[in-house]
Amino acid sequence: MRTNCVLAGVGGQGILFITKILHDAALTQGFRVMVSETHGMAQRGGSVVSHLRIGDMGSPLVRSGTADVLLVFEYGELSNTVGMLKRGGAAVVNRPSEEDAPSELQTYLKARGVTPHYMDAYGAAAQMGSPLTANVILLGFALSRLSFPMPFESVKETVERLSKEAFRGKNVEALRAGYDWSENGS
Amino acid sequence: MVESPPVQRRVMLGNEAVARGLLEAGCRVICSYPGTPSSEILPAALELKREYGLDTYLEWSVNEKVAFDNAYAAALSGKRAACVMKQVGLNVACDSLMSAAYLGTVGGFVVVSCDDPGPHSSQTEQDTRLMGLFAKVPVYDPSTPEEAVDMIAAAFELSEAEKIPVILRPAIRVCHAKQDILQRPIASGAAVADFRKDPMRWAATPKFRYLLHKELNGKLDGIVHEPKWSQGFNKNPMEAAGRSPVGIIAGGVPYVSVLDILSDTGNESVPVLKVGMPHPYPRELLNDFCTRCDHVLVVEETGAMLELILEAFPHVRGRNTGHVPKEGELVPEVIYDCMSRFFSDVGGPSLAPVMDEKEAALLKQVGPVPRRPTLCPGCPHRAAFYSIRKRFPKAIYTSDIGCYTLGLNLGAVDTVLDMGAGLTLGSGFYQAYHQDGREKMIVATMGDSTFYHSGVTALINAVYNQAHLLLVILDNKTTAMTGMQPTPGLGIRADGSPGGVIPLERLVRGCGVDSVITHDPYDLPGFMKALDRAGEIAVEGGVSVLIAEHPCVIAYRDGLEKKTVTVTDACNGCLLCMQRFECPAFELVPGEEKKVRINERLCSGCGVCVHVCRQQAIECA
């Protein structure tokens, strides 16, 4: 079994933190993991991409066009990383309500049989009064829409374990809120 | 509190694994200069030192040559020691490496040099394996973090047994990969410093160097013929009398990508020779594999070292036959294409493309727009570069290696060669123009850490040879690009303990510069005046230095004073703030092309932009 996952966004969004939650949760479930991260100059406001592979594999990089799932934390990064997805793959995308998907992107997603799941994680985080938890909200949303080999509970425990004391409560709340989020705003 | 589950395996960053490997092998001394992708190794070692209560000596050295020599002395004293740097750092330490190969070592001595194919954060894609070939020292080339740990143990044993420095070359996809790794016990090395004098060796004159060279050649011969040094790292899957129509030779990170691709596509039967110890190169193993395969593809990073060794075989393909690109990182999709082309040329298995032509054409239409790196919102360098460009629009801007290379985006960086060249190219340009009777304004920029690394000798040279230039030292009180390591200006050592302080201003004066001004670039109008003054002095009197002093907004983010910045209706959409000042916290109001607003998630609240807007449309409170 292999799950190939790509996480994309920009520097400062806490993508390394989300990657850590996922790989640690996978490890507690007894899976082997391999991750590749962005450090250095690219972090300075540039695109940040993490590759996460769960199961037996050699390379830390997901081969382009073979990712099972894609998590996009900054909408503009979707067009940069959508080519990573395999045919029939699934994506979870943070899309502020004011943004519209360009038609070229929609055509590609359709041709490739990719299911995109959108939510406004910035909006949801602002509503909860903790704008910094947008990343964790999107993770919760991803767990409800995409198939990961780890159950929600194990990810939740990992969030509790890895969060700093001051953010623990808020992060768990954010994860739950993302998980329970629905398009008609419940 | 939630308790950690009991695990023997821990997910570790490759660089953490390297640090752990060094300490598991009983390494007592580690010296390093930060540089992507090597920077996390020393901090990880520090954490382990604390966790296990070790007495390991760890230092951030002033540069890589200094790191090499300091660690090497510990090895000459009989201890296991390592120096850690990025691949271009080894250029700085190359002088020492070449000579240390001749002298040999007493305690195990490992040089960790991290390669950056791509390059992601370097000025070249150079291949450390070739430095090993050049210097005549053994090289281990790990494919994964886990293998790096095993190779470090072997490297120390080899180094001690054969009395020779050994290189470990982890590439960026090992350094910045994460893998679950079995935690082995940390061994506390017990050797006590005991330097045995032997001037014929440690201070050998040229006549004796010849003998040392001969001895070195003998060591390499012995190493390549002793299977235990490469056992488990060089792997030949072919049986004694086996033959195959196709075969692949690979090492380092590309090796695991090749295996993944063969397994993804059901082609596990294709034999792959792994070369984990590329130097001294296993000629017999390579020759044997090549004679058993009708067609061979070599996939290696980042040079063509093995291919060069196999040049006599016409059926070997790789970079030199156009089957593998000669530049760029060999990421899995590139390797997939290489293998696909190779197989189709020689009648091997066929690899289907992951995307059909129609899909590929549609993806092209999506038009990826990669973000270029920029200085952070609130970065003091932005204010400095903006001012430099404003005050000296016709100058030649020589700059250097660090975050501030991104002054490029503000049009205030013309050259970036290597560490220290902001000054040396600056004085060189001055002399080249001066020779023709022309006085060209030169503004050199250099960060504080880079100045300590290799700016000092360059400044002395500029003063000595009477260049006229303005050096702006961008003093942000840290080594920001590589992860906020302390500098000698702060008097804080790697472990946070107090160290000697070398204040920039005194150092600059000590290099013979009379005119040194320090000013905070956040005070944009005042900083521009300081630039004018320093510029005049440079034109009249020679080298003039302006220290642009303001702490890095990331390193010192706690307790940062944050102003509320807003754009008023006076904004006429000239976009100077977005294009010239280039702060990422500005964005267009959605649906409008000529109206700017502040993205509050990104704005640091520095308020410098207030002075930039010609319409006075930016306010801050």
mmCIF file of all heavy atoms in Angstrom, chain A residues 2 10 23 32-37 39 41 44 53 58-59 63-64 77 80 87 108 112, chain B residues 11 40 121 173 176-178 180 260 263-264 333 336 354-355 359 369 371 374 480 590:
data_model
loop_
_atom_site.group_PDB
_atom_site.id
_atom_site.type_symbol
_atom_site.label_atom_id
_atom_site.label_comp_id
_atom_site.label_asym_id
_atom_site.label_seq_id
_atom_site.Cartn_x
_atom_site.Cartn_y
_atom_site.Cartn_z
ATOM 1 N N ARG A 2 0.571 2.169 -0.892
ATOM 2 C CA ARG A 2 1.272 3.453 -0.884
ATOM 3 C C ARG A 2 0.251 4.568 -1.032
ATOM 4 O O ARG A 2 -0.621 4.475 -1.889
ATOM 5 C CB ARG A 2 2.208 3.571 -2.080
ATOM 6 C CG ARG A 2 3.503 2.802 -1.974
ATOM 7 C CD ARG A 2 4.323 3.047 -3.227
ATOM 8 N NE ARG A 2 5.414 2.082 -3.283
ATOM 9 C CZ ARG A 2 6.223 1.945 -4.333
ATOM 10 N NH1 ARG A 2 6.053 2.695 -5.401
ATOM 11 N NH2 ARG A 2 7.190 1.062 -4.330
ATOM 12 N N VAL A 10 2.265 28.626 0.518
ATOM 13 C CA VAL A 10 3.374 29.575 0.492
ATOM 14 C C VAL A 10 4.024 29.632 1.871
ATOM 15 O O VAL A 10 3.442 29.164 2.849
ATOM 16 C CB VAL A 10 2.906 30.997 0.077
ATOM 17 C CG1 VAL A 10 2.470 31.011 -1.369
ATOM 18 C CG2 VAL A 10 1.802 31.493 0.972
ATOM 19 N N HIS A 23 2.605 12.811 9.022
ATOM 20 C CA HIS A 23 3.568 11.700 9.044
ATOM 21 C C HIS A 23 3.658 11.054 10.416
ATOM 22 O O HIS A 23 3.837 9.843 10.532
ATOM 23 C CB HIS A 23 4.919 12.064 8.425
ATOM 24 C CG HIS A 23 5.794 13.019 9.179
ATOM 25 N ND1 HIS A 23 6.241 12.786 10.449
ATOM 26 C CD2 HIS A 23 6.344 14.194 8.801
ATOM 27 C CE1 HIS A 23 7.027 13.788 10.831
ATOM 28 N NE2 HIS A 23 7.103 14.661 9.854
ATOM 29 N N ARG A 32 5.257 2.964 7.376
ATOM 30 C CA ARG A 32 6.530 3.636 7.105
ATOM 31 C C ARG A 32 6.215 4.924 6.362
ATOM 32 O O ARG A 32 5.225 5.003 5.628
ATOM 33 C CB ARG A 32 7.438 2.745 6.249
ATOM 34 C CG ARG A 32 7.820 1.441 6.944
ATOM 35 C CD ARG A 32 9.253 1.056 6.661
ATOM 36 N NE ARG A 32 10.177 2.061 7.171
ATOM 37 C CZ ARG A 32 11.499 1.984 7.018
ATOM 38 N NH1 ARG A 32 12.033 0.979 6.365
ATOM 39 N NH2 ARG A 32 12.282 2.918 7.506
ATOM 40 N N VAL A 33 7.030 5.950 6.552
ATOM 41 C CA VAL A 33 6.768 7.223 5.881
ATOM 42 C C VAL A 33 8.037 7.797 5.270
ATOM 43 O O VAL A 33 9.154 7.505 5.712
ATOM 44 C CB VAL A 33 6.182 8.284 6.851
ATOM 45 C CG1 VAL A 33 4.813 7.895 7.318
ATOM 46 C CG2 VAL A 33 7.107 8.536 8.027
ATOM 47 N N MET A 34 7.825 8.595 4.247
ATOM 48 C CA MET A 34 8.922 9.292 3.583
ATOM 49 C C MET A 34 8.368 10.670 3.210
ATOM 50 O O MET A 34 7.251 10.773 2.708
ATOM 51 C CB MET A 34 9.257 8.478 2.335
ATOM 52 C CG MET A 34 10.631 8.475 1.814
ATOM 53 S SD MET A 34 11.946 8.130 2.941
ATOM 54 C CE MET A 34 13.290 7.945 1.835
ATOM 55 N N VAL A 35 9.148 11.705 3.498
ATOM 56 C CA VAL A 35 8.667 13.066 3.295
ATOM 57 C C VAL A 35 9.762 13.876 2.611
ATOM 58 O O VAL A 35 10.946 13.608 2.809
ATOM 59 C CB VAL A 35 8.329 13.722 4.662
ATOM 60 C CG1 VAL A 35 7.939 15.183 4.497
ATOM 61 C CG2 VAL A 35 7.226 12.965 5.383
ATOM 62 N N SER A 36 9.355 14.833 1.795
ATOM 63 C CA SER A 36 10.334 15.782 1.272
ATOM 64 C C SER A 36 9.813 17.191 1.516
ATOM 65 O O SER A 36 8.642 17.470 1.274
ATOM 66 C CB SER A 36 10.542 15.553 -0.223
ATOM 67 O OG SER A 36 11.532 16.441 -0.684
ATOM 68 N N GLU A 37 10.689 18.060 2.021
ATOM 69 C CA GLU A 37 10.257 19.404 2.420
ATOM 70 C C GLU A 37 11.034 20.493 1.695
ATOM 71 O O GLU A 37 12.120 20.253 1.188
ATOM 72 C CB GLU A 37 10.482 19.587 3.933
ATOM 73 C CG GLU A 37 9.615 18.698 4.769
ATOM 74 C CD GLU A 37 9.841 18.898 6.256
ATOM 75 O OE1 GLU A 37 10.864 19.491 6.643
ATOM 76 O OE2 GLU A 37 8.975 18.451 7.032
ATOM 77 N N HIS A 39 13.100 23.926 2.128
ATOM 78 C CA HIS A 39 13.799 24.806 3.076
ATOM 79 C C HIS A 39 14.574 25.836 2.258
ATOM 80 O O HIS A 39 14.618 25.760 1.045
ATOM 81 C CB HIS A 39 14.804 24.023 3.926
ATOM 82 C CG HIS A 39 14.176 23.041 4.867
ATOM 83 N ND1 HIS A 39 14.380 23.070 6.213
ATOM 84 C CD2 HIS A 39 13.352 21.990 4.647
ATOM 85 C CE1 HIS A 39 13.712 22.079 6.789
ATOM 86 N NE2 HIS A 39 13.090 21.410 5.858
ATOM 87 N N MET A 41 16.046 29.248 0.429
ATOM 88 C CA MET A 41 15.589 30.463 -0.238
ATOM 89 C C MET A 41 14.119 30.390 -0.663
ATOM 90 O O MET A 41 13.394 31.364 -0.615
ATOM 91 C CB MET A 41 16.458 30.773 -1.453
ATOM 92 C CG MET A 41 15.997 32.036 -2.179
ATOM 93 S SD MET A 41 17.069 32.523 -3.520
ATOM 94 C CE MET A 41 18.217 33.585 -2.688
ATOM 95 N N ARG A 44 11.336 31.965 1.386
ATOM 96 C CA ARG A 44 11.128 33.411 1.500
ATOM 97 C C ARG A 44 10.012 33.869 0.571
ATOM 98 O O ARG A 44 10.267 34.387 -0.502
ATOM 99 C CB ARG A 44 12.429 34.144 1.157
ATOM 100 C CG ARG A 44 13.572 33.794 2.074
ATOM 101 C CD ARG A 44 13.514 34.573 3.381
ATOM 102 N NE ARG A 44 14.474 34.056 4.350
ATOM 103 C CZ ARG A 44 14.170 33.140 5.261
ATOM 104 N NH1 ARG A 44 12.957 32.630 5.344
ATOM 105 N NH2 ARG A 44 15.085 32.725 6.112
ATOM 106 N N ARG A 53 4.772 10.497 1.587
ATOM 107 C CA ARG A 53 4.488 9.161 1.056
ATOM 108 C C ARG A 53 4.328 8.203 2.222
ATOM 109 O O ARG A 53 5.193 8.105 3.094
ATOM 110 C CB ARG A 53 5.617 8.715 0.120
ATOM 111 C CG ARG A 53 6.000 9.795 -0.885
ATOM 112 C CD ARG A 53 6.988 9.291 -1.912
ATOM 113 N NE ARG A 53 6.334 8.394 -2.833
ATOM 114 C CZ ARG A 53 6.986 7.580 -3.673
ATOM 115 N NH1 ARG A 53 8.308 7.551 -3.681
ATOM 116 N NH2 ARG A 53 6.329 6.793 -4.494
ATOM 117 N N GLY A 58 10.939 4.140 -1.884
ATOM 118 C CA GLY A 58 12.327 4.522 -1.718
ATOM 119 C C GLY A 58 12.548 6.013 -1.723
ATOM 120 O O GLY A 58 13.217 6.561 -0.858
ATOM 121 N N SER A 59 11.979 6.691 -2.717
ATOM 122 C CA SER A 59 12.255 8.119 -2.877
ATOM 123 C C SER A 59 11.335 8.964 -2.013
ATOM 124 O O SER A 59 10.173 8.611 -1.823
ATOM 125 C CB SER A 59 12.069 8.513 -4.354
ATOM 126 O OG SER A 59 12.029 9.912 -4.471
ATOM 127 N N ARG A 63 6.290 11.149 -7.689
ATOM 128 C CA ARG A 63 6.512 11.404 -9.117
ATOM 129 C C ARG A 63 5.330 12.181 -9.670
ATOM 130 O O ARG A 63 4.181 11.851 -9.407
ATOM 131 C CB ARG A 63 6.713 10.072 -9.850
ATOM 132 C CG ARG A 63 6.936 10.203 -11.348
ATOM 133 C CD ARG A 63 7.666 8.974 -11.888
ATOM 134 N NE ARG A 63 7.031 7.731 -11.489
ATOM 135 C CZ ARG A 63 6.061 7.131 -12.191
ATOM 136 N NH1 ARG A 63 5.632 7.652 -13.311
ATOM 137 N NH2 ARG A 63 5.533 6.000 -11.759
ATOM 138 N N SER A 64 5.642 13.221 -10.440
ATOM 139 C CA SER A 64 4.593 14.076 -10.993
ATOM 140 C C SER A 64 3.582 13.235 -11.773
ATOM 141 O O SER A 64 3.959 12.344 -12.521
ATOM 142 C CB SER A 64 5.253 15.113 -11.909
ATOM 143 O OG SER A 64 4.269 15.960 -12.418
ATOM 144 N N GLU A 77 -1.691 28.390 -5.639
ATOM 145 C CA GLU A 77 -0.755 27.274 -5.829
ATOM 146 C C GLU A 77 -1.403 26.070 -6.499
ATOM 147 O O GLU A 77 -0.719 25.116 -6.863
ATOM 148 C CB GLU A 77 -0.146 26.854 -4.486
ATOM 149 C CG GLU A 77 0.776 27.900 -3.876
ATOM 150 C CD GLU A 77 1.926 28.273 -4.792
ATOM 151 O OE1 GLU A 77 2.617 27.369 -5.280
ATOM 152 O OE2 GLU A 77 2.112 29.481 -5.036
ATOM 153 N N ASN A 80 -0.124 25.545 -9.926
ATOM 154 C CA ASN A 80 1.280 25.120 -9.949
ATOM 155 C C ASN A 80 1.448 23.645 -9.635
ATOM 156 O O ASN A 80 2.471 23.048 -9.981
ATOM 157 C CB ASN A 80 2.094 25.917 -8.926
ATOM 158 C CG ASN A 80 2.289 27.350 -9.361
ATOM 159 O OD1 ASN A 80 2.242 27.649 -10.547
ATOM 160 N ND2 ASN A 80 2.487 28.234 -8.401
ATOM 161 N N ARG A 87 -4.481 10.560 -12.570
ATOM 162 C CA ARG A 87 -5.815 10.553 -13.161
ATOM 163 C C ARG A 87 -6.794 10.038 -12.103
ATOM 164 O O ARG A 87 -6.533 9.001 -11.475
ATOM 165 C CB ARG A 87 -5.805 9.629 -14.384
ATOM 166 C CG ARG A 87 -6.872 9.924 -15.395
ATOM 167 C CD ARG A 87 -6.636 9.103 -16.657
ATOM 168 N NE ARG A 87 -5.579 9.667 -17.490
ATOM 169 C CZ ARG A 87 -4.675 8.945 -18.138
ATOM 170 N NH1 ARG A 87 -4.649 7.645 -18.027
ATOM 171 N NH2 ARG A 87 -3.778 9.545 -18.896
ATOM 172 N N TYR A 108 -9.120 21.242 -17.239
ATOM 173 C CA TYR A 108 -8.091 20.235 -16.950
ATOM 174 C C TYR A 108 -8.576 19.251 -15.885
ATOM 175 O O TYR A 108 -8.420 18.037 -16.033
ATOM 176 C CB TYR A 108 -6.787 20.904 -16.494
ATOM 177 C CG TYR A 108 -5.744 19.890 -16.095
ATOM 178 C CD1 TYR A 108 -5.029 19.175 -17.057
ATOM 179 C CD2 TYR A 108 -5.505 19.598 -14.754
ATOM 180 C CE1 TYR A 108 -4.107 18.212 -16.698
ATOM 181 C CE2 TYR A 108 -4.584 18.631 -14.384
ATOM 182 C CZ TYR A 108 -3.882 17.945 -15.359
ATOM 183 O OH TYR A 108 -2.971 16.980 -15.003
ATOM 184 N N ARG A 112 -9.061 15.189 -16.452
ATOM 185 C CA ARG A 112 -8.222 14.286 -15.667
ATOM 186 C C ARG A 112 -9.057 13.498 -14.653
ATOM 187 O O ARG A 112 -8.520 12.685 -13.898
ATOM 188 C CB ARG A 112 -7.200 15.185 -14.974
ATOM 189 C CG ARG A 112 -5.919 14.589 -14.485
ATOM 190 C CD ARG A 112 -4.930 14.164 -15.514
ATOM 191 N NE ARG A 112 -3.753 13.689 -14.804
ATOM 192 C CZ ARG A 112 -2.985 12.681 -15.184
ATOM 193 N NH1 ARG A 112 -3.231 12.066 -16.315
ATOM 194 N NH2 ARG A 112 -1.954 12.307 -14.462
ATOM 195 N N VAL B 11 10.303 9.621 13.145
ATOM 196 C CA VAL B 11 10.440 10.294 11.870
ATOM 197 C C VAL B 11 11.461 11.415 12.050
ATOM 198 O O VAL B 11 11.308 12.269 12.912
ATOM 199 C CB VAL B 11 9.095 10.880 11.382
ATOM 200 C CG1 VAL B 11 9.290 11.598 10.052
ATOM 201 C CG2 VAL B 11 8.063 9.782 11.248
ATOM 202 N N GLU B 40 20.691 22.266 9.140
ATOM 203 C CA GLU B 40 20.006 21.709 10.318
ATOM 204 C C GLU B 40 20.839 20.661 11.050
ATOM 205 O O GLU B 40 20.420 20.163 12.089
ATOM 206 C CB GLU B 40 18.664 21.089 9.911
ATOM 207 C CG GLU B 40 17.665 22.072 9.307
ATOM 208 C CD GLU B 40 17.903 22.324 7.816
ATOM 209 O OE1 GLU B 40 18.778 21.648 7.231
ATOM 210 O OE2 GLU B 40 17.237 23.206 7.248
ATOM 211 N N SER B 121 19.097 26.280 -3.726
ATOM 212 C CA SER B 121 19.516 27.404 -2.886
ATOM 213 C C SER B 121 21.045 27.531 -2.936
ATOM 214 O O SER B 121 21.686 27.642 -1.910
ATOM 215 C CB SER B 121 19.018 27.160 -1.452
ATOM 216 O OG SER B 121 18.882 28.372 -0.750
ATOM 217 N N ARG B 173 17.802 15.829 -1.237
ATOM 218 C CA ARG B 173 16.646 14.952 -0.994
ATOM 219 C C ARG B 173 16.938 13.902 0.082
ATOM 220 O O ARG B 173 16.082 13.085 0.407
ATOM 221 C CB ARG B 173 16.202 14.273 -2.284
ATOM 222 C CG ARG B 173 15.787 15.229 -3.365
ATOM 223 C CD ARG B 173 14.638 16.127 -2.948
ATOM 224 N NE ARG B 173 14.322 17.080 -3.999
ATOM 225 C CZ ARG B 173 13.382 18.014 -3.903
ATOM 226 N NH1 ARG B 173 12.678 18.148 -2.787
ATOM 227 N NH2 ARG B 173 13.164 18.838 -4.887
ATOM 228 N N HIS B 176 16.807 16.988 3.340
ATOM 229 C CA HIS B 176 15.476 17.529 3.620
ATOM 230 C C HIS B 176 14.380 16.505 3.378
ATOM 231 O O HIS B 176 13.219 16.851 3.204
ATOM 232 C CB HIS B 176 15.239 18.818 2.818
ATOM 233 C CG HIS B 176 16.110 19.936 3.299
ATOM 234 N ND1 HIS B 176 16.340 21.078 2.587
ATOM 235 C CD2 HIS B 176 16.818 20.072 4.449
ATOM 236 C CE1 HIS B 176 17.163 21.864 3.269
ATOM 237 N NE2 HIS B 176 17.469 21.270 4.396
ATOM 238 N N ALA B 177 14.773 15.233 3.332
ATOM 239 C CA ALA B 177 13.768 14.174 3.349
ATOM 240 C C ALA B 177 13.502 13.847 4.809
ATOM 241 O O ALA B 177 14.312 14.156 5.686
ATOM 242 C CB ALA B 177 14.287 12.942 2.623
ATOM 243 N N LYS B 178 12.358 13.247 5.065
ATOM 244 C CA LYS B 178 12.097 12.742 6.404
ATOM 245 C C LYS B 178 11.747 11.281 6.268
ATOM 246 O O LYS B 178 11.066 10.884 5.325
ATOM 247 C CB LYS B 178 10.915 13.470 7.036
ATOM 248 C CG LYS B 178 11.268 14.806 7.640
ATOM 249 C CD LYS B 178 10.009 15.421 8.178
ATOM 250 C CE LYS B 178 10.277 16.428 9.272
ATOM 251 N NZ LYS B 178 8.997 16.929 9.798
ATOM 252 N N ASP B 180 11.137 7.473 8.753
ATOM 253 C CA ASP B 180 11.113 6.867 10.086
ATOM 254 C C ASP B 180 12.390 6.045 10.239
ATOM 255 O O ASP B 180 12.726 5.228 9.385
ATOM 256 C CB ASP B 180 9.858 6.018 10.275
ATOM 257 C CG ASP B 180 9.715 4.937 9.224
ATOM 258 O OD1 ASP B 180 9.590 5.284 8.037
ATOM 259 O OD2 ASP B 180 9.768 3.752 9.589
ATOM 260 N N ASP B 260 11.792 2.715 -7.392
ATOM 261 C CA ASP B 260 10.352 3.024 -7.305
ATOM 262 C C ASP B 260 9.687 2.886 -8.666
ATOM 263 O O ASP B 260 8.601 2.327 -8.789
ATOM 264 C CB ASP B 260 10.142 4.469 -6.813
ATOM 265 C CG ASP B 260 10.262 4.599 -5.299
ATOM 266 O OD1 ASP B 260 10.366 3.555 -4.618
ATOM 267 O OD2 ASP B 260 10.251 5.739 -4.800
ATOM 268 N N SER B 263 9.348 -0.656 -9.799
ATOM 269 C CA SER B 263 8.309 -1.352 -9.042
ATOM 270 C C SER B 263 6.911 -0.837 -9.427
ATOM 271 O O SER B 263 5.978 -1.610 -9.597
ATOM 272 C CB SER B 263 8.603 -1.242 -7.546
ATOM 273 O OG SER B 263 7.513 -0.787 -6.821
ATOM 274 N N ASP B 264 6.773 0.482 -9.633
ATOM 275 C CA ASP B 264 5.482 1.056 -10.063
ATOM 276 C C ASP B 264 5.019 0.458 -11.388
ATOM 277 O O ASP B 264 3.819 0.359 -11.641
ATOM 278 C CB ASP B 264 5.607 2.576 -10.285
ATOM 279 C CG ASP B 264 5.643 3.358 -8.981
ATOM 280 O OD1 ASP B 264 5.407 2.753 -7.926
ATOM 281 O OD2 ASP B 264 5.919 4.583 -9.027
ATOM 282 N N GLU B 333 10.129 12.263 -12.038
ATOM 283 C CA GLU B 333 9.523 12.330 -13.382
ATOM 284 C C GLU B 333 10.578 12.495 -14.469
ATOM 285 O O GLU B 333 10.419 12.000 -15.585
ATOM 286 C CB GLU B 333 8.454 13.428 -13.469
ATOM 287 C CG GLU B 333 8.859 14.820 -13.035
ATOM 288 C CD GLU B 333 8.648 15.060 -11.541
ATOM 289 O OE1 GLU B 333 8.599 14.083 -10.758
ATOM 290 O OE2 GLU B 333 8.546 16.243 -11.145
ATOM 291 N N TYR B 336 12.030 9.080 -14.892
ATOM 292 C CA TYR B 336 11.045 8.275 -15.621
ATOM 293 C C TYR B 336 11.201 8.494 -17.127
ATOM 294 O O TYR B 336 11.228 7.541 -17.914
ATOM 295 C CB TYR B 336 9.637 8.682 -15.159
ATOM 296 C CG TYR B 336 8.534 7.753 -15.601
ATOM 297 C CD1 TYR B 336 8.200 6.630 -14.846
ATOM 298 C CD2 TYR B 336 7.805 8.012 -16.760
ATOM 299 C CE1 TYR B 336 7.178 5.781 -15.230
ATOM 300 C CE2 TYR B 336 6.776 7.168 -17.152
ATOM 301 C CZ TYR B 336 6.458 6.055 -16.387
ATOM 302 O OH TYR B 336 5.447 5.219 -16.778
ATOM 303 N N VAL B 354 2.490 9.180 -17.919
ATOM 304 C CA VAL B 354 1.469 9.330 -16.877
ATOM 305 C C VAL B 354 0.312 10.200 -17.360
ATOM 306 O O VAL B 354 -0.725 10.271 -16.733
ATOM 307 C CB VAL B 354 2.029 9.958 -15.584
ATOM 308 C CG1 VAL B 354 2.964 8.992 -14.898
ATOM 309 C CG2 VAL B 354 2.690 11.291 -15.845
ATOM 310 N N MET B 355 0.535 10.879 -18.479
ATOM 311 C CA MET B 355 -0.467 11.821 -18.962
ATOM 312 C C MET B 355 -0.539 11.670 -20.475
ATOM 313 O O MET B 355 0.492 11.562 -21.133
ATOM 314 C CB MET B 355 0.045 13.226 -18.614
ATOM 315 C CG MET B 355 -1.023 14.243 -18.381
ATOM 316 S SD MET B 355 -0.304 15.767 -17.780
ATOM 317 C CE MET B 355 -0.359 15.517 -16.002
ATOM 318 N N GLU B 359 -4.211 15.651 -22.268
ATOM 319 C CA GLU B 359 -4.122 16.135 -20.882
ATOM 320 C C GLU B 359 -2.926 17.065 -20.712
ATOM 321 O O GLU B 359 -3.017 18.102 -20.057
ATOM 322 C CB GLU B 359 -3.997 14.949 -19.921
ATOM 323 C CG GLU B 359 -5.272 14.133 -19.774
ATOM 324 C CD GLU B 359 -5.039 12.817 -19.038
ATOM 325 O OE1 GLU B 359 -3.883 12.330 -19.011
ATOM 326 O OE2 GLU B 359 -6.011 12.273 -18.517
ATOM 327 N N VAL B 369 2.188 29.366 -12.537
ATOM 328 C CA VAL B 369 2.851 30.644 -12.266
ATOM 329 C C VAL B 369 3.608 30.539 -10.949
ATOM 330 O O VAL B 369 3.119 30.947 -9.915
ATOM 331 C CB VAL B 369 1.849 31.832 -12.176
ATOM 332 C CG1 VAL B 369 1.692 32.504 -13.502
ATOM 333 C CG2 VAL B 369 0.491 31.367 -11.642
ATOM 334 N N ARG B 371 5.740 31.251 -7.843
ATOM 335 C CA ARG B 371 6.050 32.498 -7.150
ATOM 336 C C ARG B 371 7.555 32.662 -7.076
ATOM 337 O O ARG B 371 8.248 31.723 -6.726
ATOM 338 C CB ARG B 371 5.574 32.380 -5.712
ATOM 339 C CG ARG B 371 4.204 32.872 -5.463
ATOM 340 C CD ARG B 371 3.712 32.292 -4.136
ATOM 341 N NE ARG B 371 2.394 31.727 -4.366
ATOM 342 C CZ ARG B 371 1.285 32.425 -4.209
ATOM 343 N NH1 ARG B 371 1.327 33.659 -3.774
ATOM 344 N NH2 ARG B 371 0.115 31.897 -4.463
ATOM 345 N N THR B 374 10.794 36.297 -2.532
ATOM 346 C CA THR B 374 10.910 37.731 -2.259
ATOM 347 C C THR B 374 11.385 37.924 -0.828
ATOM 348 O O THR B 374 11.271 37.021 -0.004
ATOM 349 C CB THR B 374 9.546 38.445 -2.357
ATOM 350 O OG1 THR B 374 8.677 37.852 -1.399
ATOM 351 C CG2 THR B 374 8.932 38.329 -3.724
ATOM 352 N N ALA B 480 20.196 34.829 8.390
ATOM 353 C CA ALA B 480 18.754 34.616 8.231
ATOM 354 C C ALA B 480 18.417 33.517 7.235
ATOM 355 O O ALA B 480 17.596 32.645 7.507
ATOM 356 C CB ALA B 480 18.086 35.923 7.826
ATOM 357 N N PRO B 590 -9.568 42.967 -5.133
ATOM 358 C CA PRO B 590 -10.126 42.035 -6.117
ATOM 359 C C PRO B 590 -11.075 42.738 -7.085
ATOM 360 O O PRO B 590 -11.883 43.580 -6.672
ATOM 361 C CB PRO B 590 -10.888 41.022 -5.257
ATOM 362 C CG PRO B 590 -10.282 41.115 -3.913
ATOM 363 C CD PRO B 590 -9.789 42.515 -3.750
#
